[in-house]
Amino acid sequence: MKPNRIVEKGHRSLIITAYVVTIFFVVSAIIPVLWMLVSSLKTETDILAYPPKWTPSIPQSVQVTLDYSGVEERDALFYEKEAMKATWYPWMKNLRENIGEVKVTGVRDGQIIYRARTISSSFHVGQPLIVPSTLFNETQMNLKLPFIREQKLSDFEWFGEDGGEQASDGLFVSDAAISSKFQSFYSSTPLVEGKVTGIEERFSWIRMFDSYLALNKIAQDASGTLGFFQYFLNSTIVTLATVTIQLVLGGIAGYAISFLIKSKKWQFIWVMFFLATIMIPGISLLLPQYLLMKDLGLVNTLYAIILPHSAWGIVIFLFKGFFDQLPGELMQAARVDGASDFRIFSQIVVPLSYPVFTVVAVMTFIPVWNEFLWPLVVNNNPQFWTFTVALNDLQNKSSVQQNMVMASSLLSMVPLFIVFITSQKYIEKGVAFSGVKG
Amino acid sequence: MTIKRFSIPWMLILFLFPSVVCFLLFKYYPLLHMIYISLFDYSIVNPPGKFAGLTNYTGILTSATFWEAVSNTFVFFVLYLVLTFWVPVIQALLLSEIRKGNALFRFLYQLPTIMPMVAGVLIWKWMYNPDFGLLNYWLSFVGLGPYLWLNDLDITKLAIVLPSLFAGSGISLLLYYSAIRSVPTEILEAAKVDGAGPWKRMWTMLLPNIKFIIIIQFVTFMSGVLLAYDNIYVMTQGGPAGSTTVVSMLIVNTAFQQSRFGVSAAMSAFMFLVIALLTIIQNKISSVKD
C-alpha cells in the first residue's frame, strides 16, 4: 500500500463512522459482562451500595482473641459455644459491614486452647437460620449449635486445657471501624465469658470469591453433595449426549439418503420427511412431548431432556447436502473392492467430512447448552436441573443476593466461552454454509 | 441365466431406521397428539376426557386473554423490528469497511451470543434494579428516572427488548457480513470508476446485494419473535398484570398452570400454522433465488 495515495472523498468520514459505531456497539455489549464480573466479586454489603461501585472493596478478616485465664475450666462444648457466640452475634449486629471472615482464638495462660473460623459465605448462607434476628441469648445458641455443626458453617478446633501452641504476644484491640464495633458489642452484651484481649482486622482479598462458595453451599442443599457442579454435570451430560446422538444418527441417515438411495425422487421424499419437522415450533410440542415423556416414565430424568433432541431436521439436511458433494467415484471404487457400508462410512466418508461434523457439533452445542424451557418443564427435581434452570431458580430465592446470581451467570458462560474460542472459525463457516440460525 | 434378484436393502434400513423412529416418536406423533388433544376437553387423569369438537378453537377466538396475548406479541414484534432488526445490517455494512482490527471486532460482536440467554437476562435484570441498578444511576445524571423498569406497564416491554439491541446480533451479523464479503469486487471497482463515493457505494451496491439475505432473515426474525419465551419469562414471568404475556407463554401457562390442556393444544395448533406458513414462505423465497 502506497503511503501517500489519494484518499477518496468521503472515505475518511465513512471509516470514522465505521469505527465509532462499531466501538459503540461492542462497548455497550461488553459493559454488562464486565458489570457481571465485578458484581460477582462483591460482598453482600457492596452489592447494595448506592451509588453502584465499579471496584469491589476487599473484605476484612476480623481476628478476635478471648482470654480465659482465671476462669474455671470447662469442657470443649462450652468453648465451642463461646466461640460461636463471639462470632455469629457481633457479625449479625454488624451485618452491613464488609466482613470476610471472623476468627476467634481462645487463650488460657498464654496457651491457645481453641481456634474457630467462619467465612462469609457460610455466614450468609446460615444467617437466616442461625441468627434470624438480633435477639441474642444463651438458649438460642444451645438450639442453633447442632445446625452449625451439621452444615459445617464454622470450623472449630479444640486443643485441650493444656493448650496447643504459644499464643502470640502484643495483642491489642484495634480502633479500626469493625474492630471497635465488635469491641463495643462484647463490652455491652455479657454473653461471652472470656476476656477480650485482642481484636484485629486485615484485608483478605481471597474472601471476594465467597459469593461463588455461597452459591455452592446453597446448591448443595437442593441438589446433593456435588452442589453447583451437579448442574454443571447435568448440562454437560445433556449437551454431549445430544451432540453424539446427532452426529451418529444424522451422519448415518445422511449417508443413507445420499449414497444408498439411487432415485432422486425418493431422496427428495426422505429429505422432506426429516426437514419438514423444522416447521413445527418447539412450543407447540411442549405439551404432547411432556405427556409422551410421562407415558414413557422418563419425567424427572436426563433422558427426557436429551431424547427429543435426537430429531432435528436441519442436521440430516446439512449432512446430506455435504455428502452429495463428495466424489462418488471414491465410494464406487471402495464398493468394487468389496468394502461394506460400515467401512465406507467410517473410513472414507467420515474422514472427508470433518468440517460438517464439526459445524453440526458446534451449532448443536450452543443452543442445547442454553436451552431453558424444555428442561424447566420436564424436570422439577433439582437433582436433574440443568444450568439454565438452576440459574432461574436462584434468582427467585429470597436468600440469594445478586452477587451470587452474577457469580452463577459467569460460571454458566465458561464452557461456552471455551467452545467458542476454539471453534469460532467453524461457527463462521457453519453460518456461511447453512444460513440457518442455530 | 440372469435372474434379477430382489434383495432387501438391509443397510439402508439399518441406517435410516433410528432417525425415522426418533422423528416419528418425537415430532410426528406429538404433532398428531396435539391436534387430537385440541379436540377434547382433555383430562390428564382419565384421557382423553370429553369430546369437544372445535369448541376449544372457537373458545380461544373469543377469549380476551388470548387476544391480549396476541396484541402483546404484536407490540413486541414492532419493538423488536424498530429497535433490533436493522442493527446487524448496519453493523455488518460498517464492519466490512474496517480493515484494522476487523477480526477482533468480529470476535467481540459474537461474545454476547455465547452467554446463555438466561444469564444475559439476569445481568440486565440486575442493571434494571430500581434501587441499586446501574441504569437508574446513570439516568439520574441526565435528570431522568428513577424508573421501575420491570414494574411499569409503559416501559416493561421496552425493558425486555432493549438487551437485544446490544447483545442480540451475533449470528445474523455474521450472515450479513459473509454476504457482503461475497459481493464481487469488480462491480464495486466499476462503480468507483463511474464516480460513486464510498457512502454511495455502500447504499446502492452493497445493501441491494444483501437484500435477499435481509428478506430471509426477516422471516426468521418473525418466527423468532413469535416464539420468544425464555427472555420474557426470566425477566418478568409475563407480568406486570399480564402485560408481557405473549402467545407462547399463554400456551405454557394454560397447560401447566391451569391444566386446560385442550385449550393449550388448540393454541399450539394455531402457533404451528403460523410458523409453518412462515417457514414455507421462507423456503419459497430461497428457491426463487436459486
Side-chain angles (χ1 to χ4, degrees):
Chain A
M1 204 184 284
K2 278 173 278 174
N4 41 5
R5 75 196 163 109
I6 301 156
V7 174
E8 207 183 333
K9 186 166 170 279
H11 186 252
R12 181 161 290 151
S13 67
L14 179 61
I15 290 292
I16 292 172
T17 316
Y19 273 103
V20 168
V21 171
T22 307
I23 290 172
F24 168 77
F25 275 108
V26 165
V27 168
S28 324
I30 287 182
I31 285 177
V33 181
L34 278 183
W35 184 238
M36 165 182 75
L37 178 67
V38 169
S39 298
S40 77
L41 294 177
K42 286 183 175 178
T43 55
E44 312 275 321
T45 323
D46 262 14
I47 199 86
L48 298 181
Y50 193 87
K53 296 197 295 182
W54 274 96
T55 43
S57 51
I58 302 172
Q60 299 282 349
S61 162
V62 182
Q63 306 187 354
V64 180
T65 311
L66 297 175
D67 196 335
Y68 293 91
S69 311
V71 181
E72 75 175 290
E73 292 188 7
R74 309 287 267 279
D75 58 350
L77 182 67
F78 166 80
Y79 292 113
E80 188 171 359
K81 265 190 264 177
E82 282 272 308
M84 293 308 118
K85 281 184 286 184
T87 304
W88 288 79
Y89 291 166
W91 196 336
M92 179 62 198
K93 193 83 184 169
N94 298 296
L95 199 57
R96 290 271 150 263
E97 294 299 327
N98 202 356
I99 304 171
E101 67 179 344
V102 172
K103 289 179 179 168
V104 180
T105 313
V107 175
R108 176 189 295 278
D109 301 327
Q111 305 277 325
I112 293 175
I113 53 174
Y114 70 79
R115 273 208 189 93
R117 176 167 174 265
T118 311
I119 58 178
S120 68
S121 57
S122 304
F123 177 78
H124 288 289
V125 170
Q127 180 262 323
L129 175 67
I130 309 295
V131 273
S133 67
T134 48
L135 179 74
F136 307 130
N137 58 46
E138 202 63 46
T139 34
Q140 276 282 338
M141 191 44 81
N142 287 337
L143 283 171
K144 304 295 184 178
L145 189 64
F147 294 111
I148 296 180
R149 283 177 168 177
E150 185 194 2
Q151 300 186 19
K152 300 194 180 64
L153 296 173
S154 301
D155 297 331
F156 179 79
E157 202 180 352
W158 160 249
F159 301 108
E161 286 295 352
D162 302 332
E165 320 152 34
Q166 199 73 28
S168 56
D169 289 333
L171 291 168
F172 64 96
V173 175
S174 151
D175 52 6
I178 300 174
S179 305
S180 45
K181 282 188 175 156
F182 267 56
Q183 170 64 12
S184 73
F185 177 84
Y186 292 132
S187 52
S188 65
T189 331
L191 283 166
V192 180
E193 286 193 26
K195 194 164 138 292
V196 181
T197 52
I199 306 176
E200 281 175 68
E201 62 190 77
R202 60 168 90 115
F203 290 113
S204 171
W205 59 267
I206 194 109
R207 296 271 72 83
M208 289 167 81
F209 296 93
D210 265 36
S211 47
Y212 293 83
L213 294 178
L215 189 67
N216 198 41
K217 287 206 177 84
I218 286 175
Q220 274 172 345
D221 285 348
S223 71
T225 48
L226 279 175
F228 215 70
F229 291 98
Q230 181 71 52
Y231 306 137
F232 198 85
L233 190 68
N234 290 344
S235 276
T236 310
I237 293 173
V238 167
T239 312
L240 292 184
T242 305
V243 170
T244 313
I245 289 176
Q246 289 193 347
L247 291 185
V248 173
L249 294 193
I252 58 174
Y255 176 87
I257 297 174
S258 193
F259 297 120
L260 301 181
I261 298 177
K262 295 287 176 268
S263 127
K264 280 268 176 274
K265 191 180 123 206
W266 277 101
Q267 281 194 350
F268 177 77
I269 290 172
W270 276 113
V271 169
M272 284 324 283
F273 171 79
F274 293 121
L275 194 61
T277 58
I278 64 169
M279 290 197 293
I280 314 170
I283 197 109
S284 294
L285 295 188
L286 206 65
L287 171 64
Q289 280 185 341
Y290 177 81
L291 295 176
L292 175 67
M293 289 303 159
K294 207 163 156 285
D295 289 343
L296 296 173
L298 292 177
V299 170
N300 281 334
T301 62
L302 290 182
Y303 295 110
I305 310 178
I306 299 167
L307 285 175
H309 287 309
S310 61
W312 282 23
I314 197 71
V315 168
I316 292 178
F317 180 70
L318 281 179
F319 275 117
K320 192 252 172 199
F322 191 90
F323 293 157
D324 278 349
Q325 302 166 353
L326 293 179
E329 300 82 37
L330 216 57
M331 270 35 99
Q332 211 58 49
R335 204 176 297 276
V336 170
D337 289 346
S340 69
D341 281 306
F342 279 116
R343 278 195 66 181
I344 296 178
F345 180 69
S346 63
Q347 297 189 354
I348 298 175
V349 175
V350 172
L352 284 174
S353 312
Y354 185 65
V356 73
F357 280 97
T358 324
V359 165
V360 169
V362 173
M363 303 290 268
T364 307
F365 190 100
I366 296 178
V368 174
W369 182 271
N370 291 346
E371 193 188 25
F372 174 65
L373 180 57
W374 176 242
L376 176 77
V377 164
V378 84
N379 266 328
N380 50 34
N381 182 348
Q383 228 185 318
F384 300 110
W385 277 347
T386 57
F387 228 117
T388 48
V389 179
L391 273 184
N392 178 59
D393 176 72
L394 207 64
Q395 66 141 345
N396 293 324
K397 274 202 167 82
S398 60
S399 62
V400 171
Q401 288 287 350
Q402 285 295 331
N403 52 356
M404 296 182 216
V405 176
M406 292 300 110
S408 60
S409 302
L410 189 85
L411 289 177
S412 74
M413 275 181 72
V414 173
L416 280 176
F417 190 73
I418 295 168
V419 168
F420 180 73
I421 295 273
T422 50
S423 63
Q424 194 196 359
K425 65 174 178 193
Y426 293 106
I427 298 178
E428 295 191 0
K429 199 182 269 177
V431 165
F433 173 100
S434 63
V436 176
K437 214 166 178 168
Chain B
M1 193 167 78
T2 54
I3 299 168
K4 194 178 176 191
R5 275 193 311 161
F6 178 78
S7 65
I8 301 169
W10 284 114
M11 272 303 157
L12 180 65
I13 293 170
L14 190 67
F15 276 21
L16 272 184
F17 185 71
S19 288
V20 171
V21 169
C22 288
F23 276 73
L24 286 177
L25 191 59
F26 299 118
K27 293 281 176 192
Y28 289 108
Y29 166 69
L31 182 68
L32 295 177
H33 196 195
M34 171 194 81
I35 293 163
Y36 177 74
I37 293 171
S38 75
L39 299 175
F40 286 86
D41 191 6
Y42 197 81
S43 141
I44 205 162
V45 193
N46 182 24
K50 216 171 88 232
F51 184 73
L54 292 175
T55 45
N56 285 330
Y57 290 91
T58 51
I60 57 173
L61 291 178
T62 54
S63 141
T65 339
F66 176 73
W67 287 110
E68 202 193 322
V70 170
S71 100
N72 285 336
T73 312
F74 183 73
V75 175
F76 271 116
F77 172 73
V78 173
L79 279 175
Y80 273 109
L81 184 65
V82 173
L83 282 175
T84 70
F85 178 69
W86 52 273
V87 172
V89 181
I90 302 292
Q91 287 173 338
L93 281 172
L94 290 174
L95 184 66
S96 67
E97 300 295 333
I98 290 180
R99 294 285 167 271
K100 272 206 185 81
N102 184 296
L104 175 71
F105 284 127
R106 225 162 56 221
F107 172 76
L108 290 175
Y109 263 136
Q110 287 171 73
L111 210 51
T113 322
I114 62 160
M115 193 182 312
M117 182 178 262
V118 178
V121 172
L122 289 178
I123 300 174
W124 276 85
K125 207 173 170 181
W126 171 224
M127 299 207 301
Y128 283 140
N129 186 306
D131 298 322
F132 311 106
L134 211 49
L135 283 176
N136 275 351
Y137 174 63
W138 283 343
L139 288 176
S140 70
F141 287 122
V142 288
L144 291 172
Y147 294 107
L148 288 168
W149 291 96
L150 301 177
N151 285 304
D152 185 329
L153 289 174
D154 297 325
I155 54 173
T156 306
K157 288 192 184 83
L158 179 71
I160 288 174
V161 175
L162 200 59
S164 308
L165 170 60
F166 298 112
S169 51
I171 300 276
S172 28
L173 174 100
L174 274 184
L175 257 168
Y176 293 132
Y177 181 76
S178 60
I180 292 170
R181 293 315 291 270
S182 63
V183 173
T185 44
E186 296 88 55
I187 65 167
L188 292 176
E189 288 301 322
K192 198 170 170 181
V193 173
D194 289 347
W199 284 100
K200 194 166 180 205
R201 284 206 297 279
M202 191 164 97
W203 295 119
T204 59
M205 311 293 310
L206 291 179
L207 193 59
N209 259 293
I210 60 167
K211 198 177 72 189
F212 173 70
I213 310 264
I214 298 179
I215 295 170
I216 295 271
Q217 277 299 96
F218 183 70
V219 184
T220 315
F221 162 81
M222 283 207 281
S223 31
V225 173
L226 275 180
L227 298 175
Y229 182 95
D230 298 2
N231 58 337
I232 305 176
Y233 178 83
V234 177
M235 197 76 104
T236 62
Q237 298 205 317
S243 68
T244 56
T245 302
V246 288
V247 179
S248 53
M249 200 172 274
L250 194 62
I251 292 178
V252 179
N253 293 349
T254 313
F256 292 95
Q257 287 175 7
Q258 306 168 2
S259 302
R260 290 160 64 212
F261 299 105
V263 180
S264 174
M267 284 190 279
S268 299
F270 166 80
M271 191 64 124
F272 164 61
L273 283 181
V274 177
I275 296 294
L277 198 67
L278 285 175
T279 319
I280 291 169
I281 291 172
Q282 190 177 11
N283 279 2
K284 275 277 179 304
I285 301 172
S286 308
S287 56
V288 165
K289 171 83 176 184
D290 292 339

